[in-house]
């Protein structure tokens, strides 16, 4: 029974995607598509080898009002594509007003501007669909998630703007990068600092490639279309999983961190201590919130409940994913009575040898450790 429950939990988002894509069929010609569903909009893409970007582009369009029940045509024949309502990843033209969304032509160098951030990665067909329909797609999916009880409520307009940016950064951008052959890491010049161009949260592109007909199996357009349908389901499900995570977990955590940062000066006059009254993952949020508030670099320590009645003090890193702290904790490597004696604070449990985290038997003790660390000279 426990495994059945786990499988049911895992399938909640997948069931939403399956409902959205259930009636979709994939065809080789516009005539076939219209015969299958005369009143449905037709989305065209290329035939032959399929890739993650156009599979995702076609899939997530199901979460728009215009393309809620489309049929798909896979062809490179211009006369076939001309009959399609929208065309993605083929046609050598980017004309959004005509819903022609290709990125392969040399003159196209478009990148994503979400209104919150300007990205550098060249867009693929997935990114182009997301550029023009992303907010509607997220809002529609959020309504489905709320209706199924997976999230409490749909996001506000301001939250939707934030989610639109985060989902691009954490998921869609890597699809764009891989499809366009953009290196994940690069340096401006030889010997220069290596910069991460985009994050890769999943091996989705590789798993899409595994759906192609194998070299030693009989091949046909029908089998290619069947493989594309599977890829569309796979890509759309992973996209929706990424959105669900942001809506159900990432966004609520952000509000908790925002509240803690706003109350920082009430904890310690400089605002250097972020007191989390309820623990939530904070590293994805703190630096962005500081930037938005014009207080970059202010926070030095985050204090939170350890879940066992005690408190933890953790250093804020200098940069995202950095091991270097803005200000390390003093008393490195000390524990228990020795640490309490050295710090003058009762109930101390430990300070990590690197000084990045420490603990106390009580929250008040952890706060006292953080306050004393703020007042002391940097121990580097």
């Amino acid at each position: 029974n426990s495994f059945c429950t786990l499988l049911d939990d895992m399938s909640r988002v997948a069931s939403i995607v399956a409902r959205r894509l259930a009636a979709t069929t994939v065809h080789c010609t516009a005539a076939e598509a219209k015969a299958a569903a005369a009143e449905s909009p037709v989305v065209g893409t290329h035939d032959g080898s399929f890739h993650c970007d156009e599979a995702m582009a076609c899939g997530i369009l199901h979460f728009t009002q215009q393309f809620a029940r489309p049929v798909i045509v896979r062809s490179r024949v211009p006369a076939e594509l001309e009959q399609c309502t929208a065309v993605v990843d083929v046609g050598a033209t980017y004309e959004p007003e005509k819903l022609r969304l290709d990125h392969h032509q040399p003159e196209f160098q478009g990148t994503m501007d979400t209104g919150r951030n300007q990205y550098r990665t060249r867009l693929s067909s997935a990114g182009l669909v997301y550029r023009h329909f992303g907010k509607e797609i997220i809002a529609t999916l959020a309504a489905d998630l709320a209706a199924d009880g997976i999230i409490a409520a749909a996001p506000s307009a301001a939250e939707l703007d934030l989610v639109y940016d985060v989902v691009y950064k954490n998921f869609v951008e890597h699809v764009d990068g891989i499809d366009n052959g953009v290196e994940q890491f690069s340096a401006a010049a030889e010997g220069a600092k290596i910069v991460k161009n985009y994050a890769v949260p999943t091996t989705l592109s590789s798993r899409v490639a595994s759906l192609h007909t194998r070299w030693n199996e009989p091949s046909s357009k029908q089998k290619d279309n069947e493989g594309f349908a599977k890829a569309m389901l796979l890509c759309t499900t992973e996209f929706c999983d990424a959105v669900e995570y942001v809506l159900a977990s990432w966004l609520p955590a952000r509000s908790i961190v925002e509240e803690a940062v706003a109350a920082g000066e009430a904890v310690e006059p400089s605002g250097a201590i972020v007191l989390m009254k309820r623990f939530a993952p904070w590293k994805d949020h703190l630096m962005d919130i500081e930037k938005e508030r014009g207080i970059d670099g202010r926070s030095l320590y985050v204090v939170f409940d350890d879940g066992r009645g005690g408190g933890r003090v953790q250093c804020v890193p200098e940069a995202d994913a950095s091991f270097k702290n803005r200000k390390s904790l003093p008393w490195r490597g000390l524990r228990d009575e020795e640490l309490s004696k050295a710090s003058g604070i009762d109930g101390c449990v430990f300070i990590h040898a690197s000084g990045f985290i420490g603990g106390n038997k009580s929250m008040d003790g952890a706060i006292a450790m953080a306050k004393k660390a703020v007042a002391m000279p940097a121990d580097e």
Side-chain angles (χ1 to χ4, degrees):
N1 287 339
S2 60
F3 277 103
C4 290
T5 301
L6 288 171
L7 288 170
D8 185 56
D9 286 343
M10 291 172 64
S11 68
R12 291 186 301 171
V13 173
S15 66
I16 290 173
V17 177
R19 292 199 301 267
R20 287 276 172 182
L21 271 63
T24 301
T25 52
V26 183
H27 305 275
C28 297
T29 67
E32 291 174 3
K34 290 175 181 178
E39 301 301 318
S40 294
V42 181
V43 178
T45 190
H46 62 80
D47 58 8
S49 293
F50 49 83
H51 310 102
C52 182
D53 71 313
E54 80 269 14
M56 189 171 106
C58 291
I60 64 177
L61 276 171
H62 288 71
F63 288 86
T64 65
Q65 183 176 0
Q66 185 175 1
F67 296 100
R69 294 185 176 277
V71 286
I72 311 296
V73 169
R74 299 183 71 237
S75 176
R76 295 181 186 273
V77 178
E80 296 292 343
L81 298 175
E82 285 174 6
Q83 300 178 62
C84 297
T85 316
V87 177
V88 300
D89 210 44
V90 67
T93 183
Y94 173 57
E95 297 178 90
E97 67 281 0
K98 297 180 180 179
L99 296 178
R100 267 46 187 169
L101 305 177
D102 195 13
H103 66 108
H104 292 98
Q105 55 278 19
E107 64 272 17
F108 179 81
Q109 296 295 323
T111 60
M112 177 63 79
D113 181 354
T114 63
R116 294 180 66 90
N117 287 294
Q118 173 67 63
Y119 294 86
R120 299 182 300 165
T121 304
R122 187 167 172 248
L123 295 167
S124 69
S125 61
L128 285 172
V129 167
Y130 191 78
R131 170 193 268 183
H132 295 289
F133 295 96
K135 290 184 182 180
E136 181 185 359
I137 290 165
I138 292 168
T140 301
L141 174 57
D144 287 352
L145 292 167
D148 281 14
I150 299 173
I151 62 173
S156 66
E159 289 172 335
L160 181 59
D161 289 343
L162 179 59
V163 173
Y164 177 65
D165 177 70
V166 173
V167 170
Y168 183 77
K169 177 183 179 181
N170 290 350
F171 189 83
V172 181
E173 187 181 22
H174 94 281
V175 177
D176 290 341
I178 291 172
D179 192 75
N180 282 305
V182 178
E183 296 287 354
Q184 185 185 1
F185 297 91
S186 65
E190 187 174 350
K193 182 180 178 181
I194 294 175
V195 176
K196 182 166 72 173
N197 293 317
Y198 55 88
V200 178
T202 172
T203 55
L204 181 58
S205 293
S206 297
R207 282 176 284 126
V208 168
S210 74
L211 298 174
H212 290 137
T213 304
R214 295 173 180 172
W215 69 271
N216 55 352
E217 293 178 338
S219 179
S220 67
K221 287 190 173 184
Q222 181 180 350
K223 289 195 72 173
D224 286 346
N225 286 348
E226 290 172 357
F228 179 80
K230 292 177 182 178
M232 189 165 54
L233 181 63
L234 173 64
C235 293
T236 307
T237 301
E238 293 222 5
F239 170 86
C240 290
D241 279 335
V243 175
E244 186 272 341
Y245 166 75
V246 173
L247 291 171
S249 181
W250 187 95
L251 198 58
R254 188 178 185 88
S255 65
I256 292 171
V257 180
E258 283 179 332
E259 182 180 341
V261 172
E265 292 177 10
V267 179
E268 196 278 332
S270 71
I273 298 172
V274 178
L275 176 59
M276 306 279 288
K277 294 182 179 179
R278 176 187 174 192
F279 177 77
W282 54 269
K283 290 185 179 179
D284 285 348
H285 307 284
L286 182 56
M287 292 179 189
D288 283 344
I289 293 168
E290 285 184 330
K291 184 177 179 181
E292 288 174 3
R293 291 174 171 266
I295 54 171
D296 297 48
R298 187 182 81 170
S299 306
L300 299 179
Y301 305 113
V302 177
V303 179
F304 53 89
D305 192 313
D306 67 2
R308 298 184 294 275
R312 288 283 186 269
V313 186
Q314 188 167 354
C315 300
V316 177
E318 283 192 351
D320 183 35
S322 171
F323 289 107
K324 189 172 182 180
N325 305 315
R326 288 177 176 174
K327 186 180 183 183
S328 296
L329 290 165
W331 321 299
R332 298 184 195 185
L334 299 184
R335 300 187 63 88
D336 303 322
E337 289 301 322
E338 185 181 9
L339 176 55
S340 290
K341 184 177 179 180
S343 65
I345 300 167
D346 292 337
C348 292
V349 178
F350 78 100
I351 297 289
H352 191 275
S354 69
F356 90 96
I357 193 170
N360 193 283
K361 293 177 182 178
S362 72
M363 279 292 288
D364 287 343
I367 294 168
M369 291 170 72
K371 287 182 176 180
K372 186 159 282 193
V374 169
M376 292 175 67
D379 178 18
E380 298 296 340

